[in-house]
Amino acid sequence: MRRVLGVTASAVLVATALSGCGNPPGTDGDLTDDWRPVAEARQFAPRAGECHVNAEPTAYLTSHQPVDCAKAHLVETFHIGTFTGDLAARPIPPRVGSAAMRSAFTECDAKAKEFVGGDWRDGRLTVQVAPTSPAGWAGGSRWYRCDLFELNPLDDTGDAAVNRAGSLRGALRASTPLRHGCAEAGEWGHLLTVPCTKVHRYEYVGVWMAPNASYEDATKDEGAVHTKCRSVIARYAKVPVDRMLRYRTGSTYRFPSEEAWARGDRGVRCWYWSSGKKLTRSIAGGGTKALPVN
């Protein structure tokens, strides 16, 4: 009798325990179907149209503090490109200034011309490429920033960005102090832009694209560079490129900075030089009357 009673009591206990495991009101007993799905991880990426107070060609999330381009800044991001092919398959991002970055620079070069409304080399401007950080690369990011910045007019061969306010979009579509033009030599030999109706002895005529070589090799033959620039002057003034050209014009030029050369800029800026004669008008399209044999 006791045995039977023991079994019965146990059954009652089991039944009571099971009844205590019922679903609370308003629930269906499924512990997972009401969870929100975890959001897909997204990599950080900058945007075109952002300006920055840090001019270094770096793209770390910790240093990404864009400002309104209407406010003081050093560089402007005008395009975001993407590494593809073998470059994208690398274990680490290409190093700034390395040959592996040249294809990115070529794209930034073309996009910069569209952005400013002409060849950016015709003004006090330069272009740089800022790749994603190593951590971002490891996480799958393959973007690079195309940055543009204004150069100091008192540093013809430098590469330092100067503070400016306002976007550079369309900056060379019209006459602007940024654009190279007629010039006079400053106290330290810097070419300072002046109106062509004012006394001057220099005039910017265009760019000669140097071949790919080391900076040392490219800059050592000054005579060859002057010859190339005289051809640019002849095209600008509309005079023949012949054996008399050297007697019609003097020339001077400015190479890109070593840093810009390493980035991929091969544009040598050429200026006409009057050999000391004071001018008050442009030689553009002036022909042999503007550039007589001397």
Side-chain angles (χ1 to χ4, degrees), residues 139-174:
S141 293
R142 293 296 183 268
W143 52 260
Y144 55 85
R145 280 181 6 211
C146 295
D147 292 344
L148 188 68
F149 59 88
E150 179 180 342
L151 296 170
N152 191 330
L154 299 180
D155 191 2
D156 295 337
T157 58
D159 197 57
V162 297
N163 258 308
R164 61 169 286 114
S167 172
L168 287 165
R169 182 183 294 276
L172 297 184
R173 288 198 178 99

PDB file of all heavy atoms in Angstrom, residues 139-174:
ATOM      1  N   GLY A 139      40.225  44.284 -43.513  1.00  0.00           N
ATOM      2  CA  GLY A 139      38.795  44.079 -43.360  1.00  0.00           C
ATOM      3  C   GLY A 139      38.028  44.042 -44.658  1.00  0.00           C
ATOM      4  O   GLY A 139      36.806  43.871 -44.651  1.00  0.00           O
ATOM      5  N   GLY A 140      38.738  44.207 -45.787  1.00  0.00           N
ATOM      6  CA  GLY A 140      38.088  44.096 -47.090  1.00  0.00           C
ATOM      7  C   GLY A 140      37.955  45.388 -47.875  1.00  0.00           C
ATOM      8  O   GLY A 140      37.515  45.363 -49.027  1.00  0.00           O
ATOM      9  N   SER A 141      38.313  46.527 -47.289  1.00  0.00           N
ATOM     10  CA  SER A 141      38.205  47.794 -48.018  1.00  0.00           C
ATOM     11  C   SER A 141      39.266  47.871 -49.109  1.00  0.00           C
ATOM     12  O   SER A 141      40.428  47.502 -48.891  1.00  0.00           O
ATOM     13  CB  SER A 141      38.382  48.975 -47.056  1.00  0.00           C
ATOM     14  OG  SER A 141      37.310  49.051 -46.142  1.00  0.00           O
ATOM     15  N   ARG A 142      38.884  48.376 -50.292  1.00  0.00           N
ATOM     16  CA  ARG A 142      39.827  48.529 -51.403  1.00  0.00           C
ATOM     17  C   ARG A 142      39.722  49.923 -52.039  1.00  0.00           C
ATOM     18  O   ARG A 142      40.111  50.120 -53.166  1.00  0.00           O
ATOM     19  CB  ARG A 142      39.559  47.443 -52.472  1.00  0.00           C
ATOM     20  CG  ARG A 142      39.876  46.021 -52.012  1.00  0.00           C
ATOM     21  CD  ARG A 142      41.344  45.859 -51.719  1.00  0.00           C
ATOM     22  NE  ARG A 142      41.700  44.502 -51.336  1.00  0.00           N
ATOM     23  CZ  ARG A 142      41.737  44.065 -50.092  1.00  0.00           C
ATOM     24  NH1 ARG A 142      41.396  44.876 -49.086  1.00  0.00           N
ATOM     25  NH2 ARG A 142      42.103  42.816 -49.813  1.00  0.00           N
ATOM     26  N   TRP A 143      39.220  50.893 -51.300  1.00  0.00           N
ATOM     27  CA  TRP A 143      39.039  52.233 -51.851  1.00  0.00           C
ATOM     28  C   TRP A 143      40.310  53.072 -51.672  1.00  0.00           C
ATOM     29  O   TRP A 143      41.202  52.734 -50.890  1.00  0.00           O
ATOM     30  CB  TRP A 143      37.853  52.940 -51.181  1.00  0.00           C
ATOM     31  CG  TRP A 143      37.870  52.959 -49.683  1.00  0.00           C
ATOM     32  CD1 TRP A 143      37.176  52.146 -48.838  1.00  0.00           C
ATOM     33  CD2 TRP A 143      38.636  53.827 -48.833  1.00  0.00           C
ATOM     34  NE1 TRP A 143      37.452  52.446 -47.518  1.00  0.00           N
ATOM     35  CE2 TRP A 143      38.343  53.480 -47.492  1.00  0.00           C
ATOM     36  CE3 TRP A 143      39.534  54.851 -49.078  1.00  0.00           C
ATOM     37  CZ2 TRP A 143      38.925  54.135 -46.401  1.00  0.00           C
ATOM     38  CZ3 TRP A 143      40.119  55.512 -47.993  1.00  0.00           C
ATOM     39  CH2 TRP A 143      39.806  55.142 -46.681  1.00  0.00           C
ATOM     40  N   TYR A 144      40.369  54.157 -52.425  1.00  0.00           N
ATOM     41  CA  TYR A 144      41.402  55.180 -52.202  1.00  0.00           C
ATOM     42  C   TYR A 144      40.784  56.549 -52.450  1.00  0.00           C
ATOM     43  O   TYR A 144      39.863  56.700 -53.245  1.00  0.00           O
ATOM     44  CB  TYR A 144      42.631  54.973 -53.102  1.00  0.00           C
ATOM     45  CG  TYR A 144      42.351  54.894 -54.576  1.00  0.00           C
ATOM     46  CD1 TYR A 144      42.247  56.045 -55.363  1.00  0.00           C
ATOM     47  CD2 TYR A 144      42.192  53.661 -55.205  1.00  0.00           C
ATOM     48  CE1 TYR A 144      41.993  55.964 -56.722  1.00  0.00           C
ATOM     49  CE2 TYR A 144      41.938  53.573 -56.564  1.00  0.00           C
ATOM     50  CZ  TYR A 144      41.848  54.729 -57.312  1.00  0.00           C
ATOM     51  OH  TYR A 144      41.591  54.653 -58.665  1.00  0.00           O
ATOM     52  N   ARG A 145      41.285  57.529 -51.733  1.00  0.00           N
ATOM     53  CA  ARG A 145      40.823  58.906 -51.871  1.00  0.00           C
ATOM     54  C   ARG A 145      41.662  59.639 -52.907  1.00  0.00           C
ATOM     55  O   ARG A 145      42.874  59.506 -52.939  1.00  0.00           O
ATOM     56  CB  ARG A 145      40.970  59.672 -50.551  1.00  0.00           C
ATOM     57  CG  ARG A 145      39.913  59.448 -49.549  1.00  0.00           C
ATOM     58  CD  ARG A 145      40.101  60.265 -48.271  1.00  0.00           C
ATOM     59  NE  ARG A 145      41.171  61.227 -48.236  1.00  0.00           N
ATOM     60  CZ  ARG A 145      41.828  61.562 -47.134  1.00  0.00           C
ATOM     61  NH1 ARG A 145      41.519  60.991 -45.972  1.00  0.00           N
ATOM     62  NH2 ARG A 145      42.788  62.457 -47.171  1.00  0.00           N
ATOM     63  N   CYS A 146      41.017  60.441 -53.747  1.00  0.00           N
ATOM     64  CA  CYS A 146      41.707  61.381 -54.620  1.00  0.00           C
ATOM     65  C   CYS A 146      41.563  62.759 -53.981  1.00  0.00           C
ATOM     66  O   CYS A 146      40.445  63.282 -53.864  1.00  0.00           O
ATOM     67  CB  CYS A 146      41.088  61.400 -56.023  1.00  0.00           C
ATOM     68  SG  CYS A 146      41.257  59.856 -56.944  1.00  0.00           S
ATOM     69  N   ASP A 147      42.671  63.329 -53.539  1.00  0.00           N
ATOM     70  CA  ASP A 147      42.676  64.612 -52.851  1.00  0.00           C
ATOM     71  C   ASP A 147      43.322  65.690 -53.705  1.00  0.00           C
ATOM     72  O   ASP A 147      44.261  65.420 -54.468  1.00  0.00           O
ATOM     73  CB  ASP A 147      43.446  64.513 -51.532  1.00  0.00           C
ATOM     74  CG  ASP A 147      42.749  63.650 -50.503  1.00  0.00           C
ATOM     75  OD1 ASP A 147      41.548  63.376 -50.677  1.00  0.00           O
ATOM     76  OD2 ASP A 147      43.412  63.248 -49.529  1.00  0.00           O
ATOM     77  N   LEU A 148      42.843  66.903 -53.533  1.00  0.00           N
ATOM     78  CA  LEU A 148      43.354  68.061 -54.259  1.00  0.00           C
ATOM     79  C   LEU A 148      43.694  69.132 -53.243  1.00  0.00           C
ATOM     80  O   LEU A 148      42.963  69.314 -52.269  1.00  0.00           O
ATOM     81  CB  LEU A 148      42.275  68.560 -55.225  1.00  0.00           C
ATOM     82  CG  LEU A 148      42.593  69.648 -56.236  1.00  0.00           C
ATOM     83  CD1 LEU A 148      43.580  69.134 -57.285  1.00  0.00           C
ATOM     84  CD2 LEU A 148      41.300  70.108 -56.918  1.00  0.00           C
ATOM     85  N   PHE A 149      44.815  69.840 -53.459  1.00  0.00           N
ATOM     86  CA  PHE A 149      45.094  70.949 -52.554  1.00  0.00           C
ATOM     87  C   PHE A 149      45.856  72.067 -53.253  1.00  0.00           C
ATOM     88  O   PHE A 149      46.477  71.874 -54.302  1.00  0.00           O
ATOM     89  CB  PHE A 149      45.805  70.493 -51.277  1.00  0.00           C
ATOM     90  CG  PHE A 149      47.138  69.795 -51.449  1.00  0.00           C
ATOM     91  CD1 PHE A 149      48.318  70.513 -51.500  1.00  0.00           C
ATOM     92  CD2 PHE A 149      47.203  68.409 -51.502  1.00  0.00           C
ATOM     93  CE1 PHE A 149      49.543  69.875 -51.592  1.00  0.00           C
ATOM     94  CE2 PHE A 149      48.419  67.756 -51.603  1.00  0.00           C
ATOM     95  CZ  PHE A 149      49.597  68.493 -51.652  1.00  0.00           C
ATOM     96  N   GLU A 150      45.748  73.240 -52.648  1.00  0.00           N
ATOM     97  CA  GLU A 150      46.370  74.460 -53.180  1.00  0.00           C
ATOM     98  C   GLU A 150      47.794  74.579 -52.659  1.00  0.00           C
ATOM     99  O   GLU A 150      48.083  74.266 -51.501  1.00  0.00           O
ATOM    100  CB  GLU A 150      45.548  75.669 -52.745  1.00  0.00           C
ATOM    101  CG  GLU A 150      46.095  77.006 -53.216  1.00  0.00           C
ATOM    102  CD  GLU A 150      45.261  78.187 -52.760  1.00  0.00           C
ATOM    103  OE1 GLU A 150      44.085  77.980 -52.384  1.00  0.00           O
ATOM    104  OE2 GLU A 150      45.791  79.318 -52.766  1.00  0.00           O
ATOM    105  N   LEU A 151      48.697  75.059 -53.529  1.00  0.00           N
ATOM    106  CA  LEU A 151      50.100  75.217 -53.172  1.00  0.00           C
ATOM    107  C   LEU A 151      50.424  76.671 -52.842  1.00  0.00           C
ATOM    108  O   LEU A 151      49.771  77.599 -53.319  1.00  0.00           O
ATOM    109  CB  LEU A 151      50.990  74.738 -54.322  1.00  0.00           C
ATOM    110  CG  LEU A 151      50.885  73.255 -54.667  1.00  0.00           C
ATOM    111  CD1 LEU A 151      51.627  72.959 -55.969  1.00  0.00           C
ATOM    112  CD2 LEU A 151      51.433  72.395 -53.532  1.00  0.00           C
ATOM    113  N   ASN A 152      51.465  76.839 -52.076  1.00  0.00           N
ATOM    114  CA  ASN A 152      51.917  78.160 -51.664  1.00  0.00           C
ATOM    115  C   ASN A 152      52.535  78.904 -52.852  1.00  0.00           C
ATOM    116  O   ASN A 152      53.454  78.394 -53.491  1.00  0.00           O
ATOM    117  CB  ASN A 152      52.964  78.018 -50.549  1.00  0.00           C
ATOM    118  CG  ASN A 152      53.294  79.328 -49.877  1.00  0.00           C
ATOM    119  OD1 ASN A 152      53.219  80.394 -50.488  1.00  0.00           O
ATOM    120  ND2 ASN A 152      53.674  79.247 -48.618  1.00  0.00           N
ATOM    121  N   PRO A 153      52.071  80.132 -53.176  1.00  0.00           N
ATOM    122  CA  PRO A 153      52.651  80.874 -54.304  1.00  0.00           C
ATOM    123  C   PRO A 153      54.102  81.294 -54.071  1.00  0.00           C
ATOM    124  O   PRO A 153      54.811  81.629 -55.015  1.00  0.00           O
ATOM    125  CB  PRO A 153      51.740  82.103 -54.423  1.00  0.00           C
ATOM    126  CG  PRO A 153      51.142  82.268 -53.072  1.00  0.00           C
ATOM    127  CD  PRO A 153      50.981  80.883 -52.536  1.00  0.00           C
ATOM    128  N   LEU A 154      54.545  81.255 -52.841  1.00  0.00           N
ATOM    129  CA  LEU A 154      55.925  81.643 -52.524  1.00  0.00           C
ATOM    130  C   LEU A 154      56.853  80.445 -52.413  1.00  0.00           C
ATOM    131  O   LEU A 154      57.962  80.554 -51.909  1.00  0.00           O
ATOM    132  CB  LEU A 154      55.954  82.440 -51.209  1.00  0.00           C
ATOM    133  CG  LEU A 154      55.152  83.739 -51.208  1.00  0.00           C
ATOM    134  CD1 LEU A 154      55.261  84.432 -49.851  1.00  0.00           C
ATOM    135  CD2 LEU A 154      55.621  84.673 -52.315  1.00  0.00           C
ATOM    136  N   ASP A 155      56.406  79.311 -52.908  1.00  0.00           N
ATOM    137  CA  ASP A 155      57.219  78.090 -52.844  1.00  0.00           C
ATOM    138  C   ASP A 155      57.026  77.317 -54.146  1.00  0.00           C
ATOM    139  O   ASP A 155      56.274  76.354 -54.209  1.00  0.00           O
ATOM    140  CB  ASP A 155      56.811  77.250 -51.641  1.00  0.00           C
ATOM    141  CG  ASP A 155      57.785  76.106 -51.374  1.00  0.00           C
ATOM    142  OD1 ASP A 155      58.789  75.996 -52.104  1.00  0.00           O
ATOM    143  OD2 ASP A 155      57.528  75.315 -50.437  1.00  0.00           O
ATOM    144  N   ASP A 156      57.731  77.740 -55.202  1.00  0.00           N
ATOM    145  CA  ASP A 156      57.526  77.187 -56.541  1.00  0.00           C
ATOM    146  C   ASP A 156      57.759  75.691 -56.629  1.00  0.00           C
ATOM    147  O   ASP A 156      57.147  75.007 -57.446  1.00  0.00           O
ATOM    148  CB  ASP A 156      58.461  77.875 -57.549  1.00  0.00           C
ATOM    149  CG  ASP A 156      58.134  79.348 -57.727  1.00  0.00           C
ATOM    150  OD1 ASP A 156      56.997  79.738 -57.452  1.00  0.00           O
ATOM    151  OD2 ASP A 156      59.040  80.103 -58.132  1.00  0.00           O
ATOM    152  N   THR A 157      58.669  75.179 -55.831  1.00  0.00           N
ATOM    153  CA  THR A 157      59.028  73.764 -55.956  1.00  0.00           C
ATOM    154  C   THR A 157      58.579  72.956 -54.741  1.00  0.00           C
ATOM    155  O   THR A 157      58.953  71.797 -54.608  1.00  0.00           O
ATOM    156  CB  THR A 157      60.547  73.610 -56.129  1.00  0.00           C
ATOM    157  OG1 THR A 157      61.213  74.202 -54.997  1.00  0.00           O
ATOM    158  CG2 THR A 157      61.033  74.298 -57.403  1.00  0.00           C
ATOM    159  N   GLY A 158      57.785  73.551 -53.862  1.00  0.00           N
ATOM    160  CA  GLY A 158      57.350  72.859 -52.658  1.00  0.00           C
ATOM    161  C   GLY A 158      56.101  72.036 -52.883  1.00  0.00           C
ATOM    162  O   GLY A 158      55.522  72.001 -53.968  1.00  0.00           O
ATOM    163  N   ASP A 159      55.680  71.376 -51.806  1.00  0.00           N
ATOM    164  CA  ASP A 159      54.518  70.489 -51.897  1.00  0.00           C
ATOM    165  C   ASP A 159      53.588  70.670 -50.703  1.00  0.00           C
ATOM    166  O   ASP A 159      52.745  69.829 -50.443  1.00  0.00           O
ATOM    167  CB  ASP A 159      54.994  69.039 -51.970  1.00  0.00           C
ATOM    168  CG  ASP A 159      53.917  68.088 -52.483  1.00  0.00           C
ATOM    169  OD1 ASP A 159      53.403  68.322 -53.599  1.00  0.00           O
ATOM    170  OD2 ASP A 159      53.594  67.121 -51.778  1.00  0.00           O
ATOM    171  N   ALA A 160      53.760  71.794 -50.000  1.00  0.00           N
ATOM    172  CA  ALA A 160      52.962  72.003 -48.795  1.00  0.00           C
ATOM    173  C   ALA A 160      51.603  72.592 -49.143  1.00  0.00           C
ATOM    174  O   ALA A 160      51.498  73.536 -49.920  1.00  0.00           O
ATOM    175  CB  ALA A 160      53.706  72.934 -47.836  1.00  0.00           C
ATOM    176  N   ALA A 161      50.550  72.020 -48.539  1.00  0.00           N
ATOM    177  CA  ALA A 161      49.202  72.543 -48.737  1.00  0.00           C
ATOM    178  C   ALA A 161      49.025  73.811 -47.925  1.00  0.00           C
ATOM    179  O   ALA A 161      49.581  73.949 -46.829  1.00  0.00           O
ATOM    180  CB  ALA A 161      48.174  71.506 -48.290  1.00  0.00           C
ATOM    181  N   VAL A 162      48.280  74.762 -48.457  1.00  0.00           N
ATOM    182  CA  VAL A 162      47.977  75.987 -47.728  1.00  0.00           C
ATOM    183  C   VAL A 162      46.504  75.996 -47.348  1.00  0.00           C
ATOM    184  O   VAL A 162      45.659  75.412 -48.039  1.00  0.00           O
ATOM    185  CB  VAL A 162      48.315  77.248 -48.563  1.00  0.00           C
ATOM    186  CG1 VAL A 162      49.795  77.313 -48.862  1.00  0.00           C
ATOM    187  CG2 VAL A 162      47.517  77.285 -49.857  1.00  0.00           C
ATOM    188  N   ASN A 163      46.195  76.639 -46.244  1.00  0.00           N
ATOM    189  CA  ASN A 163      44.816  76.742 -45.797  1.00  0.00           C
ATOM    190  C   ASN A 163      43.983  77.536 -46.789  1.00  0.00           C
ATOM    191  O   ASN A 163      44.433  78.563 -47.304  1.00  0.00           O
ATOM    192  CB  ASN A 163      44.759  77.435 -44.435  1.00  0.00           C
ATOM    193  CG  ASN A 163      44.550  76.449 -43.301  1.00  0.00           C
ATOM    194  OD1 ASN A 163      43.625  75.634 -43.342  1.00  0.00           O
ATOM    195  ND2 ASN A 163      45.410  76.500 -42.301  1.00  0.00           N
ATOM    196  N   ARG A 164      42.800  77.058 -47.069  1.00  0.00           N
ATOM    197  CA  ARG A 164      41.884  77.764 -47.932  1.00  0.00           C
ATOM    198  C   ARG A 164      40.457  77.484 -47.454  1.00  0.00           C
ATOM    199  O   ARG A 164      40.215  76.550 -46.697  1.00  0.00           O
ATOM    200  CB  ARG A 164      42.031  77.355 -49.398  1.00  0.00           C
ATOM    201  CG  ARG A 164      41.761  75.888 -49.681  1.00  0.00           C
ATOM    202  CD  ARG A 164      41.659  75.608 -51.177  1.00  0.00           C
ATOM    203  NE  ARG A 164      40.402  76.110 -51.726  1.00  0.00           N
ATOM    204  CZ  ARG A 164      40.319  77.105 -52.605  1.00  0.00           C
ATOM    205  NH1 ARG A 164      41.401  77.706 -53.037  1.00  0.00           N
ATOM    206  NH2 ARG A 164      39.143  77.508 -53.050  1.00  0.00           N
ATOM    207  N   ALA A 165      39.534  78.305 -47.902  1.00  0.00           N
ATOM    208  CA  ALA A 165      38.117  78.084 -47.624  1.00  0.00           C
ATOM    209  C   ALA A 165      37.388  78.080 -48.953  1.00  0.00           C
ATOM    210  O   ALA A 165      37.658  78.909 -49.824  1.00  0.00           O
ATOM    211  CB  ALA A 165      37.568  79.177 -46.709  1.00  0.00           C
ATOM    212  N   GLY A 166      36.491  77.122 -49.149  1.00  0.00           N
ATOM    213  CA  GLY A 166      35.759  76.997 -50.402  1.00  0.00           C
ATOM    214  C   GLY A 166      36.259  75.840 -51.237  1.00  0.00           C
ATOM    215  O   GLY A 166      37.450  75.515 -51.230  1.00  0.00           O
ATOM    216  N   SER A 167      35.337  75.224 -51.953  1.00  0.00           N
ATOM    217  CA  SER A 167      35.673  74.079 -52.798  1.00  0.00           C
ATOM    218  C   SER A 167      36.467  74.522 -54.024  1.00  0.00           C
ATOM    219  O   SER A 167      36.348  75.654 -54.491  1.00  0.00           O
ATOM    220  CB  SER A 167      34.389  73.379 -53.252  1.00  0.00           C
ATOM    221  OG  SER A 167      34.673  72.381 -54.213  1.00  0.00           O
ATOM    222  N   LEU A 168      37.261  73.598 -54.556  1.00  0.00           N
ATOM    223  CA  LEU A 168      38.017  73.838 -55.785  1.00  0.00           C
ATOM    224  C   LEU A 168      37.257  73.386 -57.027  1.00  0.00           C
ATOM    225  O   LEU A 168      37.789  73.437 -58.132  1.00  0.00           O
ATOM    226  CB  LEU A 168      39.369  73.118 -55.720  1.00  0.00           C
ATOM    227  CG  LEU A 168      40.389  73.746 -54.767  1.00  0.00           C
ATOM    228  CD1 LEU A 168      41.538  72.790 -54.490  1.00  0.00           C
ATOM    229  CD2 LEU A 168      40.918  75.057 -55.339  1.00  0.00           C
ATOM    230  N   ARG A 169      36.027  72.982 -56.872  1.00  0.00           N
ATOM    231  CA  ARG A 169      35.217  72.582 -58.022  1.00  0.00           C
ATOM    232  C   ARG A 169      35.107  73.754 -59.013  1.00  0.00           C
ATOM    233  O   ARG A 169      34.712  74.861 -58.655  1.00  0.00           O
ATOM    234  CB  ARG A 169      33.824  72.162 -57.588  1.00  0.00           C
ATOM    235  CG  ARG A 169      32.938  71.673 -58.741  1.00  0.00           C
ATOM    236  CD  ARG A 169      31.534  71.344 -58.272  1.00  0.00           C
ATOM    237  NE  ARG A 169      31.519  70.207 -57.360  1.00  0.00           N
ATOM    238  CZ  ARG A 169      31.501  68.938 -57.756  1.00  0.00           C
ATOM    239  NH1 ARG A 169      31.507  68.641 -59.064  1.00  0.00           N
ATOM    240  NH2 ARG A 169      31.483  67.956 -56.866  1.00  0.00           N
ATOM    241  N   GLY A 170      35.493  73.516 -60.272  1.00  0.00           N
ATOM    242  CA  GLY A 170      35.413  74.547 -61.304  1.00  0.00           C
ATOM    243  C   GLY A 170      36.397  75.680 -61.129  1.00  0.00           C
ATOM    244  O   GLY A 170      36.257  76.735 -61.768  1.00  0.00           O
ATOM    245  N   ALA A 171      37.440  75.474 -60.308  1.00  0.00           N
ATOM    246  CA  ALA A 171      38.350  76.566 -59.964  1.00  0.00           C
ATOM    247  C   ALA A 171      39.118  77.134 -61.146  1.00  0.00           C
ATOM    248  O   ALA A 171      39.557  78.282 -61.107  1.00  0.00           O
ATOM    249  CB  ALA A 171      39.337  76.095 -58.896  1.00  0.00           C
ATOM    250  N   LEU A 172      39.309  76.338 -62.227  1.00  0.00           N
ATOM    251  CA  LEU A 172      40.089  76.821 -63.366  1.00  0.00           C
ATOM    252  C   LEU A 172      39.231  77.074 -64.603  1.00  0.00           C
ATOM    253  O   LEU A 172      39.762  77.221 -65.706  1.00  0.00           O
ATOM    254  CB  LEU A 172      41.201  75.819 -63.703  1.00  0.00           C
ATOM    255  CG  LEU A 172      42.255  75.593 -62.614  1.00  0.00           C
ATOM    256  CD1 LEU A 172      43.336  74.652 -63.109  1.00  0.00           C
ATOM    257  CD2 LEU A 172      42.875  76.905 -62.150  1.00  0.00           C
ATOM    258  N   ARG A 173      37.918  77.147 -64.422  1.00  0.00           N
ATOM    259  CA  ARG A 173      37.054  77.408 -65.575  1.00  0.00           C
ATOM    260  C   ARG A 173      37.056  78.876 -65.980  1.00  0.00           C
ATOM    261  O   ARG A 173      36.601  79.221 -67.051  1.00  0.00           O
ATOM    262  CB  ARG A 173      35.621  76.963 -65.271  1.00  0.00           C
ATOM    263  CG  ARG A 173      35.449  75.452 -65.228  1.00  0.00           C
ATOM    264  CD  ARG A 173      34.001  75.028 -65.360  1.00  0.00           C
ATOM    265  NE  ARG A 173      33.881  73.581 -65.368  1.00  0.00           N
ATOM    266  CZ  ARG A 173      33.547  72.844 -64.320  1.00  0.00           C
ATOM    267  NH1 ARG A 173      33.286  73.448 -63.166  1.00  0.00           N
ATOM    268  NH2 ARG A 173      33.466  71.531 -64.403  1.00  0.00           N
ATOM    269  N   ALA A 174      37.547  79.729 -65.121  1.00  0.00           N
ATOM    270  CA  ALA A 174      37.574  81.168 -65.415  1.00  0.00           C
ATOM    271  C   ALA A 174      38.889  81.736 -64.907  1.00  0.00           C
ATOM    272  O   ALA A 174      39.706  81.032 -64.308  1.00  0.00           O
ATOM    273  CB  ALA A 174      36.384  81.859 -64.749  1.00  0.00           C
TER     274      ALA A 174
END
